[in-house]
Amino acid sequence: MPIALEAAKRLAEHDVRAAVVSAPCFDLFRQQSREYQAEVLGSAPRVGVEAAIEGDWMRWLGDGGEFVG
């Protein structure tokens, strides 16, 4: 998460707003309502950051999303 927070901070220096959301458990997130998922994910482009494998990230990042691992 520190990498994502630093990226958001640097983007803010260029007037680009970024939200950082922690996703500790995709299984629990998957059980939430579609409305809640949409609220958390928003509509902006998404980037997943993980120190391991990609796993389920692409499911949540969408077509315009990117993964860094």
Side-chain angles (χ1 to χ4, degrees):
M1 186 113 130
I3 292 172
L5 291 172
E6 180 63 25
K9 178 180 167 186
R10 290 183 183 199
L11 287 168
E13 293 170 358
H14 300 279
D15 296 322
V16 177
R17 292 179 44 207
V20 177
V21 178
S22 177
C25 183
F26 285 133
D27 290 334
L28 291 176
F29 188 66
R30 192 177 298 112
Q31 294 173 24
Q32 304 304 310
S33 70
R34 295 272 185 227
E35 293 80 15
Y36 176 78
Q37 292 172 1
E39 181 181 340
V40 170
L41 295 173
S43 59
R46 302 175 192 133
V47 177
V49 179
E50 180 85 34
I53 61 172
E54 186 176 307
D56 269 354
W57 274 108
M58 291 315 293
R59 173 185 182 151
W60 304 111
L61 297 177
D63 292 337
E66 293 292 334
F67 176 79
V68 179

